[in-house]
Coordinates of all heavy atoms in Angstrom, one line a residue:
K271 N 2.6 -42.4 -9.1 CA 1.1 -42.3 -9.2 C 0.5 -42.1 -7.9 O -0.5 -41.3 -7.8 CB 0.6 -43.6 -10.0 CG -0.9 -43.4 -10.3 CD -1.1 -42.6 -11.5 CE -2.5 -42.7 -12.0 NZ -3.0 -41.6 -12.8
E272 N 0.8 -42.8 -6.9 CA 0.2 -42.7 -5.6 C 0.5 -41.3 -5.0 O -0.4 -40.8 -4.4 CB 0.8 -43.8 -4.6 CG 0.1 -43.9 -3.3 CD 0.6 -45.0 -2.5 OE1 0.8 -46.1 -3.0 OE2 0.8 -44.8 -1.2
K273 N 1.7 -40.8 -5.2 CA 2.0 -39.5 -4.6 C 1.1 -38.4 -5.3 O 0.7 -37.5 -4.7 CB 3.5 -39.2 -4.8 CG 4.3 -39.9 -3.8 CD 5.8 -39.5 -4.0 CE 6.7 -40.4 -3.1 NZ 8.1 -40.1 -3.2
Q274 N 1.0 -38.6 -6.6 CA 0.2 -37.7 -7.5 C -1.3 -37.7 -6.9 O -1.9 -36.6 -6.7 CB 0.3 -38.0 -9.0 CG -0.5 -37.0 -9.8 CD -0.4 -37.4 -11.3 OE1 0.1 -38.4 -11.6 NE2 -1.1 -36.6 -12.1
Q275 N -1.8 -38.8 -6.8 CA -3.2 -39.0 -6.2 C -3.4 -38.3 -4.8 O -4.3 -37.7 -4.6 CB -3.6 -40.4 -6.2 CG -3.8 -41.0 -7.6 CD -4.2 -42.5 -7.6 OE1 -3.8 -43.2 -6.6 NE2 -4.8 -43.0 -8.6
F276 N -2.4 -38.6 -4.0 CA -2.4 -38.0 -2.7 C -2.4 -36.4 -2.8 O -3.2 -35.7 -2.1 CB -1.1 -38.4 -1.8 CG -1.1 -37.7 -0.5 CD1 -1.9 -38.1 0.6 CD2 -0.2 -36.6 -0.4 CE1 -1.8 -37.5 1.8 CE2 -0.1 -36.0 0.9 CZ -0.9 -36.4 1.9
F277 N -1.5 -35.9 -3.6 CA -1.4 -34.4 -3.8 C -2.7 -33.9 -4.4 O -3.1 -32.8 -4.0 CB -0.2 -34.1 -4.6 CG 0.2 -32.6 -4.5 CD1 0.6 -32.0 -3.3 CD2 0.1 -31.8 -5.6 CE1 0.9 -30.7 -3.2 CE2 0.5 -30.5 -5.6 CZ 0.8 -29.9 -4.4
Q278 N -3.3 -34.6 -5.4 CA -4.5 -34.1 -5.9 C -5.6 -34.1 -4.9 O -6.4 -33.1 -4.9 CB -4.9 -35.0 -7.2 CG -4.1 -34.7 -8.4 CD -4.4 -35.7 -9.5 OE1 -4.9 -36.8 -9.3 NE2 -4.2 -35.2 -10.7
S279 N -5.7 -35.0 -4.1 CA -6.7 -35.1 -3.1 C -6.5 -34.0 -2.0 O -7.5 -33.3 -1.6 CB -6.6 -36.5 -2.3 OG -7.5 -36.5 -1.3
Y280 N -5.2 -33.8 -1.6 CA -4.9 -32.7 -0.7 C -5.4 -31.3 -1.4 O -6.0 -30.5 -0.7 CB -3.4 -32.6 -0.5 CG -2.8 -31.4 0.0 CD1 -3.0 -31.0 1.3 CD2 -2.1 -30.5 -0.8 CE1 -2.5 -29.8 1.8 CE2 -1.5 -29.3 -0.3 CZ -1.8 -29.0 0.9 OH -1.2 -27.8 1.4
L281 N -5.0 -31.1 -2.6 CA -5.4 -29.8 -3.2 C -6.9 -29.7 -3.4 O -7.4 -28.5 -3.2 CB -4.7 -29.7 -4.6 CG -3.2 -29.4 -4.6 CD1 -2.7 -29.4 -6.0 CD2 -2.8 -28.2 -3.9
Q282 N -7.6 -30.7 -3.6 CA -9.1 -30.7 -3.7 C -9.7 -30.3 -2.4 O -10.6 -29.4 -2.3 CB -9.6 -31.9 -4.2 CG -9.4 -32.2 -5.7 CD -9.9 -33.6 -6.2 OE1 -10.1 -34.4 -5.3 NE2 -9.9 -33.7 -7.5
Q283 N -9.2 -30.9 -1.3 CA -9.7 -30.6 0.0 C -9.3 -29.1 0.4 O -10.2 -28.5 1.0 CB -9.1 -31.6 1.0 CG -9.7 -33.0 0.9 CD -9.0 -33.9 1.9 OE1 -8.3 -33.6 2.8 NE2 -9.2 -35.2 1.6
Y284 N -8.1 -28.7 0.2 CA -7.6 -27.4 0.5 C -8.5 -26.4 -0.3 O -9.0 -25.4 0.3 CB -6.1 -27.4 0.0 CG -5.3 -26.2 0.1 CD1 -5.7 -25.1 0.9 CD2 -4.1 -26.1 -0.6 CE1 -4.8 -24.0 1.0 CE2 -3.3 -25.0 -0.5 CZ -3.6 -24.0 0.3 OH -2.8 -22.9 0.5
R285 N -8.7 -26.6 -1.6 CA -9.5 -25.7 -2.4 C -10.9 -25.6 -1.9 O -11.5 -24.5 -1.8 CB -9.5 -26.2 -3.9 CG -10.2 -25.3 -4.9 CD -10.2 -25.8 -6.3 NE -8.8 -26.0 -6.8 CZ -8.3 -27.2 -7.1 NH1 -9.1 -28.3 -7.1 NH2 -7.1 -27.4 -7.6
G286 N -11.4 -26.7 -1.6 CA -12.9 -26.8 -1.0 C -13.0 -26.1 0.3 O -14.0 -25.4 0.5
L287 N -12.1 -26.2 1.1 CA -12.1 -25.5 2.4 C -12.1 -24.0 2.2 O -12.9 -23.3 2.8 CB -10.9 -26.0 3.3 CG -10.8 -25.3 4.7 CD1 -12.0 -25.6 5.6 CD2 -9.5 -25.7 5.3
I288 N -11.1 -23.6 1.4 CA -11.0 -22.1 1.2 C -12.3 -21.6 0.5 O -12.8 -20.5 0.8 CB -9.8 -21.8 0.4 CG1 -8.5 -22.1 1.2 CG2 -9.7 -20.3 0.0 CD1 -7.2 -22.0 0.5
R289 N -12.7 -22.3 -0.5 CA -13.9 -22.0 -1.2 C -15.1 -21.8 -0.3 O -15.8 -20.8 -0.4 CB -14.3 -23.0 -2.3 CG -15.3 -22.5 -3.3 CD -15.7 -23.6 -4.4 NE -16.3 -23.0 -5.5 CZ -17.4 -22.3 -5.4 NH1 -18.1 -22.1 -4.3 NH2 -17.9 -21.8 -6.5
N290 N -15.3 -22.7 0.6 CA -16.4 -22.6 1.6 C -16.3 -21.4 2.4 O -17.3 -20.8 2.7 CB -16.5 -23.9 2.4 CG -17.0 -25.1 1.7 OD1 -17.6 -25.0 0.6 ND2 -16.7 -26.2 2.1
I291 N -15.1 -21.1 2.9 CA -14.9 -19.9 3.8 C -15.2 -18.6 3.0 O -15.8 -17.8 3.5 CB -13.5 -19.9 4.3 CG1 -13.2 -21.0 5.3 CG2 -13.1 -18.6 5.0 CD1 -11.8 -21.3 5.7
V292 N -14.7 -18.6 1.8 CA -14.9 -17.3 1.0 C -16.5 -17.2 0.7 O -17.0 -16.1 0.8 CB -14.2 -17.3 -0.3 CG1 -14.5 -16.2 -1.2 CG2 -12.6 -17.3 0.0
Q293 N -17.1 -18.3 0.4 CA -18.5 -18.2 0.0 C -19.3 -17.8 1.2 O -20.3 -17.1 1.1 CB -19.0 -19.6 -0.5 CG -20.4 -19.6 -1.1 CD -20.6 -18.6 -2.3 OE1 -19.9 -18.7 -3.3 NE2 -21.4 -17.6 -2.1
Q294 N -19.0 -18.3 2.3 CA -19.7 -18.0 3.6 C -19.5 -16.4 3.9 O -20.5 -15.8 4.3 CB -19.1 -18.7 4.8 CG -19.5 -20.2 4.8 CD -18.9 -21.0 5.9 OE1 -18.2 -20.4 6.8 NE2 -19.0 -22.3 5.9
G295 N -18.3 -15.9 3.6 CA -18.0 -14.5 3.8 C -18.9 -13.7 2.8 O -19.4 -12.6 3.1
I296 N -19.1 -14.1 1.6 CA -19.9 -13.5 0.6 C -21.4 -13.5 1.0 O -22.1 -12.5 1.1 CB -19.8 -14.2 -0.8 CG1 -18.4 -13.8 -1.4 CG2 -20.9 -13.6 -1.8 CD1 -18.1 -14.6 -2.7
D297 N -21.8 -14.7 1.5 CA -23.2 -14.9 2.0 C -23.5 -14.0 3.1 O -24.6 -13.6 3.3 CB -23.5 -16.3 2.3 CG -23.4 -17.3 1.0 OD1 -23.5 -16.8 -0.2 OD2 -23.3 -18.5 1.2
A298 N -22.5 -13.8 4.0 CA -22.7 -13.0 5.2 C -22.5 -11.5 4.9 O -22.7 -10.7 5.8 CB -21.7 -13.5 6.3
G299 N -22.2 -11.2 3.7 CA -22.0 -9.8 3.3 C -20.6 -9.2 3.7 O -20.4 -8.0 3.7
E300 N -19.7 -10.0 4.2 CA -18.4 -9.6 4.6 C -17.5 -9.4 3.4 O -16.6 -8.6 3.4 CB -17.8 -10.6 5.5 CG -18.5 -10.7 6.9 CD -17.9 -11.9 7.7 OE1 -16.9 -12.4 7.4 OE2 -18.6 -12.2 8.8
F301 N -17.8 -10.2 2.3 CA -17.0 -10.0 1.1 C -17.9 -9.6 -0.1 O -19.1 -10.0 -0.1 CB -16.3 -11.4 0.7 CG -15.3 -11.9 1.6 CD1 -15.2 -13.2 1.9 CD2 -14.5 -11.0 2.4 CE1 -14.3 -13.7 2.8 CE2 -13.6 -11.5 3.3 CZ -13.4 -12.9 3.5
K302 N -17.4 -8.9 -1.0 CA -18.1 -8.5 -2.2 C -18.4 -9.8 -3.1 O -17.6 -10.8 -2.9 CB -17.4 -7.5 -3.1 CG -17.0 -6.2 -2.5 CD -16.4 -5.3 -3.5 CE -14.9 -5.5 -3.4 NZ -14.2 -4.5 -4.2
Q303 N -19.4 -9.7 -4.0 CA -19.6 -10.8 -4.9 C -18.3 -10.9 -5.7 O -17.8 -9.9 -6.1 CB -20.7 -10.5 -5.8 CG -22.1 -10.7 -5.1 CD -22.3 -12.2 -4.8 OE1 -21.7 -13.1 -5.5 NE2 -23.0 -12.6 -3.9
T304 N -17.8 -12.1 -5.9 CA -16.5 -12.2 -6.7 C -16.6 -13.6 -7.3 O -17.4 -14.5 -7.0 CB -15.3 -12.1 -5.8 OG1 -14.1 -12.0 -6.5 CG2 -15.2 -13.2 -4.7
D305 N -15.7 -13.9 -8.3 CA -15.5 -15.2 -8.9 C -14.7 -16.0 -7.8 O -13.5 -15.9 -7.7 CB -14.8 -15.1 -10.2 CG -14.5 -16.4 -10.8 OD1 -14.6 -17.4 -10.2 OD2 -14.1 -16.3 -12.0
V306 N -15.5 -16.8 -7.1 CA -14.8 -17.5 -5.9 C -13.8 -18.5 -6.4 O -12.7 -18.5 -5.8 CB -16.0 -18.3 -5.2 CG1 -15.3 -19.1 -4.1 CG2 -17.0 -17.3 -4.6
D307 N -14.0 -19.2 -7.5 CA -13.0 -20.1 -8.0 C -11.7 -19.4 -8.4 O -10.6 -19.9 -8.1 CB -13.5 -21.0 -9.1 CG -14.6 -21.9 -8.6 OD1 -14.5 -22.4 -7.5 OD2 -15.6 -22.1 -9.4
S308 N -11.8 -18.3 -9.0 CA -10.6 -17.5 -9.4 C -9.9 -17.0 -8.2 O -8.7 -17.0 -8.1 CB -11.0 -16.4 -10.3 OG -10.0 -15.6 -10.7
F309 N -10.7 -16.5 -7.2 CA -10.1 -16.0 -5.9 C -9.3 -17.1 -5.2 O -8.2 -16.9 -4.8 CB -11.2 -15.4 -5.1 CG -10.6 -14.8 -3.8 CD1 -10.2 -13.6 -3.7 CD2 -10.6 -15.7 -2.6 CE1 -9.7 -13.1 -2.5 CE2 -10.1 -15.2 -1.4 CZ -9.7 -13.9 -1.3
V310 N -9.9 -18.3 -5.1 CA -9.3 -19.4 -4.4 C -8.0 -19.8 -5.1 O -7.0 -20.1 -4.5 CB -10.3 -20.6 -4.3 CG1 -9.6 -21.8 -3.8 CG2 -11.5 -20.2 -3.3
L311 N -8.1 -19.9 -6.4 CA -6.9 -20.2 -7.2 C -5.7 -19.2 -7.0 O -4.6 -19.6 -6.7 CB -7.2 -20.4 -8.7 CG -6.0 -20.7 -9.5 CD1 -5.4 -22.1 -9.2 CD2 -6.4 -20.7 -11.1
T312 N -6.1 -17.9 -6.9 CA -5.1 -16.8 -6.7 C -4.5 -17.0 -5.3 O -3.3 -16.9 -5.1 CB -5.8 -15.5 -6.9 OG1 -6.2 -15.4 -8.2 CG2 -4.7 -14.4 -6.6
L313 N -5.4 -17.2 -4.4 CA -4.9 -17.3 -2.9 C -4.0 -18.5 -2.7 O -2.9 -18.5 -2.2 CB -6.1 -17.5 -2.0 CG -5.8 -17.7 -0.5 CD1 -5.4 -16.4 0.1 CD2 -7.2 -18.2 0.2
M314 N -4.4 -19.7 -3.4 CA -3.5 -20.9 -3.3 C -2.2 -20.6 -4.0 O -1.2 -21.1 -3.5 CB -4.3 -22.1 -3.9 CG -5.4 -22.5 -3.1 SD -6.4 -23.9 -3.8 CE -5.2 -25.2 -3.9
A315 N -2.2 -20.0 -5.1 CA -1.0 -19.7 -5.9 C 0.0 -18.8 -5.0 O 1.2 -19.1 -5.0 CB -1.3 -19.0 -7.2
I316 N -0.6 -17.9 -4.3 CA 0.2 -17.0 -3.5 C 0.9 -17.9 -2.4 O 2.1 -17.8 -2.1 CB -0.5 -15.9 -2.9 CG1 -0.9 -14.9 -4.0 CG2 0.2 -15.2 -1.7 CD1 -1.9 -13.8 -3.5
I317 N 0.0 -18.6 -1.7 CA 0.6 -19.4 -0.5 C 1.6 -20.4 -1.0 O 2.7 -20.6 -0.5 CB -0.6 -20.0 0.2 CG1 -1.4 -18.9 0.9 CG2 0.0 -21.1 1.3 CD1 -2.8 -19.5 1.5
E318 N 1.2 -21.2 -2.0 CA 2.1 -22.3 -2.5 C 3.3 -21.8 -3.1 O 4.4 -22.3 -3.0 CB 1.3 -23.2 -3.4 CG 0.1 -24.0 -2.7 CD 0.5 -24.9 -1.6 OE1 1.6 -25.5 -1.6 OE2 -0.2 -24.9 -0.5
G319 N 3.1 -20.7 -3.8 CA 4.3 -20.1 -4.5 C 5.3 -19.6 -3.5 O 6.5 -19.8 -3.7
L320 N 4.8 -18.9 -2.4 CA 5.8 -18.4 -1.5 C 6.5 -19.6 -0.7 O 7.7 -19.5 -0.4 CB 5.1 -17.5 -0.5 CG 4.8 -16.1 -0.9 CD1 4.0 -15.3 0.1 CD2 6.2 -15.4 -1.0
F321 N 5.7 -20.7 -0.4 CA 6.3 -21.8 0.2 C 7.4 -22.5 -0.7 O 8.4 -22.9 -0.3 CB 5.3 -22.8 0.6 CG 4.5 -22.4 1.9 CD1 3.2 -22.8 2.0 CD2 5.0 -21.5 2.8 CE1 2.5 -22.5 3.2 CE2 4.3 -21.2 4.0 CZ 3.1 -21.6 4.1
L322 N 7.0 -22.6 -2.0 CA 8.0 -23.2 -3.0 C 9.2 -22.3 -3.0 O 10.3 -22.9 -3.0 CB 7.3 -23.4 -4.3 CG 8.2 -23.9 -5.4 CD1 8.7 -25.3 -5.0 CD2 7.4 -23.9 -6.8
L323 N 9.0 -21.1 -3.2 CA 10.2 -20.2 -3.2 C 11.1 -20.3 -2.0 O 12.3 -20.3 -2.0 CB 9.8 -18.7 -3.4 CG 9.3 -18.3 -4.8 CD1 8.7 -16.9 -4.7 CD2 10.4 -18.4 -5.8
N324 N 10.4 -20.4 -0.8 CA 11.1 -20.6 0.4 C 11.9 -21.9 0.5 O 13.0 -21.9 1.1 CB 10.2 -20.5 1.6 CG 10.9 -20.2 2.9 OD1 11.6 -19.3 3.0 ND2 10.6 -21.1 3.8
T325 N 11.4 -23.0 -0.2 CA 12.2 -24.2 -0.1 C 13.4 -24.2 -1.0 O 14.4 -24.8 -0.8 CB 11.3 -25.4 -0.6 OG1 10.9 -25.3 -1.9 CG2 10.2 -25.6 0.4
I326 N 13.4 -23.3 -2.1 CA 14.4 -23.2 -3.0 C 15.5 -22.2 -2.5 O 16.7 -22.4 -2.5 CB 14.0 -22.8 -4.4 CG1 13.0 -23.8 -5.0 CG2 15.1 -22.4 -5.3 CD1 12.2 -23.4 -6.2
D327 N 15.0 -21.1 -2.0 CA 15.9 -20.0 -1.5 C 15.2 -19.3 -0.4 O 14.0 -18.9 -0.6 CB 16.2 -19.0 -2.6 CG 17.2 -18.0 -2.2 OD1 18.0 -18.2 -1.3 OD2 17.2 -17.0 -2.9
D328 N 15.6 -19.2 0.8 CA 14.9 -18.7 1.9 C 14.3 -17.3 1.5 O 15.0 -16.4 1.0 CB 15.8 -18.5 3.2 CG 16.2 -19.8 3.8 OD1 15.4 -20.7 3.6 OD2 17.2 -19.8 4.5
V329 N 13.0 -17.2 1.8 CA 12.3 -15.9 1.5 C 12.5 -15.1 2.9 O 12.0 -15.6 3.9 CB 10.8 -16.1 1.3 CG1 10.0 -14.8 1.2 CG2 10.6 -16.9 0.0
P330 N 13.1 -13.9 2.8 CA 13.2 -13.1 4.0 C 11.8 -12.7 4.5 O 10.9 -12.4 3.7 CB 13.9 -11.9 3.5 CG 14.5 -12.2 2.2 CD 13.7 -13.3 1.6
N331 N 11.6 -12.9 5.8 CA 10.4 -12.6 6.5 C 9.2 -13.2 5.8 O 8.2 -12.6 5.5 CB 10.2 -11.0 6.5 CG 11.4 -10.4 7.1 OD1 11.8 -10.6 8.2 ND2 11.9 -9.3 6.4
L332 N 9.2 -14.5 5.6 CA 8.2 -15.2 5.0 C 6.8 -15.0 5.6 O 5.8 -14.7 4.9 CB 8.5 -16.8 5.1 CG 7.4 -17.7 4.4 CD1 7.3 -17.4 2.9 CD2 7.8 -19.2 4.8
N333 N 6.7 -15.0 6.9 CA 5.4 -14.7 7.6 C 4.9 -13.4 7.2 O 3.7 -13.2 6.9 CB 5.5 -14.9 9.1 CG 5.7 -16.3 9.5 OD1 5.3 -17.3 8.8 ND2 6.2 -16.5 10.7
Q334 N 5.7 -12.4 7.2 CA 5.3 -11.0 6.8 C 4.9 -10.9 5.3 O 3.9 -10.3 5.0 CB 6.4 -10.0 7.1 CG 6.7 -9.8 8.6 CD 7.8 -8.8 8.8 OE1 8.6 -8.4 7.9 NE2 7.9 -8.3 10.1
Q335 N 5.6 -11.6 4.5 CA 5.3 -11.7 3.0 C 3.9 -12.3 2.9 O 3.1 -11.8 2.1 CB 6.3 -12.5 2.3 CG 7.6 -11.8 2.1 CD 7.6 -10.5 1.4 OE1 6.7 -10.3 0.6 NE2 8.6 -9.7 1.6
L336 N 3.6 -13.4 3.6 CA 2.3 -14.0 3.6 C 1.2 -13.1 4.0 O 0.1 -13.0 3.4 CB 2.2 -15.4 4.4 CG 2.9 -16.5 3.7 CD1 3.1 -17.6 4.8 CD2 2.0 -17.0 2.6
I337 N 1.5 -12.4 5.2 CA 0.5 -11.5 5.7 C 0.2 -10.3 4.7 O -0.9 -10.0 4.5 CB 0.9 -11.0 7.1 CG1 0.9 -12.1 8.1 CG2 0.0 -9.7 7.5 CD1 1.5 -11.8 9.4
R338 N 1.2 -9.8 4.1 CA 1.1 -8.7 3.2 C 0.3 -9.1 2.0 O -0.7 -8.5 1.5 CB 2.4 -8.2 2.7 CG 3.1 -7.3 3.7 CD 4.4 -6.7 3.0 NE 5.2 -6.2 4.1 CZ 6.5 -6.7 4.3 NH1 7.0 -7.5 3.5 NH2 7.2 -6.2 5.3
S339 N 0.6 -10.3 1.5 CA -0.1 -10.9 0.3 C -1.5 -11.1 0.6 O -2.4 -10.8 -0.2 CB 0.6 -12.1 -0.2 OG 1.9 -11.9 -0.5
M340 N -1.8 -11.7 1.8 CA -3.2 -12.1 2.1 C -4.0 -10.8 2.3 O -5.2 -10.7 2.0 CB -3.2 -12.9 3.4 CG -2.6 -14.3 3.2 SD -3.4 -15.3 2.0 CE -2.2 -15.2 0.7
T341 N -3.4 -9.8 2.9 CA -4.0 -8.5 3.2 C -4.4 -7.9 1.9 O -5.5 -7.3 1.7 CB -3.1 -7.6 4.0 OG1 -2.8 -8.2 5.3 CG2 -3.8 -6.2 4.3
L342 N -3.5 -7.8 0.9 CA -3.8 -7.2 -0.4 C -4.9 -8.0 -1.1 O -5.9 -7.3 -1.6 CB -2.6 -7.2 -1.3 CG -1.4 -6.3 -0.9 CD1 -0.2 -6.6 -1.8 CD2 -1.9 -4.8 -1.3
L343 N -4.9 -9.3 -1.0 CA -6.0 -10.0 -1.7 C -7.3 -9.9 -1.0 O -8.3 -9.7 -1.6 CB -5.5 -11.5 -1.8 CG -6.4 -12.5 -2.6 CD1 -6.4 -12.0 -4.0 CD2 -5.9 -13.8 -2.5
L344 N -7.3 -10.0 0.3 CA -8.5 -9.9 1.1 C -9.1 -8.5 0.9 O -10.4 -8.3 0.9 CB -8.4 -10.3 2.5 CG -8.1 -11.8 2.7 CD1 -7.8 -12.0 4.2 CD2 -9.3 -12.6 2.3
D345 N -8.3 -7.5 0.9 CA -8.8 -6.1 0.8 C -9.5 -5.9 -0.6 O -10.5 -5.2 -0.7 CB -7.6 -5.1 0.8 CG -7.1 -4.8 2.3 OD1 -7.8 -5.3 3.2 OD2 -6.1 -4.2 2.4
S346 N -9.2 -6.7 -1.6 CA -9.8 -6.6 -2.8 C -11.2 -7.1 -2.9 O -12.0 -6.8 -3.8 CB -8.9 -7.3 -3.9 OG -9.1 -8.8 -3.8
I347 N -11.6 -7.9 -1.9 CA -12.9 -8.4 -1.9 C -13.7 -8.0 -0.7 O -14.9 -8.3 -0.5 CB -13.0 -10.0 -2.0 CG1 -12.4 -10.7 -0.9 CG2 -12.5 -10.4 -3.4 CD1 -12.7 -12.2 -0.8
Q348 N -13.1 -7.2 0.2 CA -13.7 -6.7 1.4 C -15.0 -5.9 1.0 O -15.0 -5.0 0.1 CB -12.8 -5.7 2.1 CG -13.3 -5.3 3.5 CD -12.9 -6.3 4.6 OE1 -11.9 -7.0 4.5 NE2 -13.8 -6.4 5.6
A349 N -16.1 -6.2 1.7 CA -17.4 -5.4 1.4 C -17.2 -4.1 2.0 O -16.5 -3.8 2.9 CB -18.5 -6.2 2.0
S350 N -17.9 -3.1 1.4 CA -17.8 -1.7 1.8 C -18.6 -1.5 3.1 O -19.5 -2.0 3.3 CB -18.4 -0.7 0.7 OG -17.7 -1.0 -0.5

């Protein structure tokens, strides 16, 4: 139970931090209007999913995979 609470707290803080950064980007006109919560969930799923896969079976060029994934996702909300 204690580990679950710790992990939930970690995820809430993580989600909040990313959400604030994305919202600031929208407010500054750097990002298009988007469903912030959906974007954050997608971003977290990519990062956590790649890390999980890497613990099970080494992901070749993990850093490059993260950069490619983040680039694709960020390009989708980049303001024109």
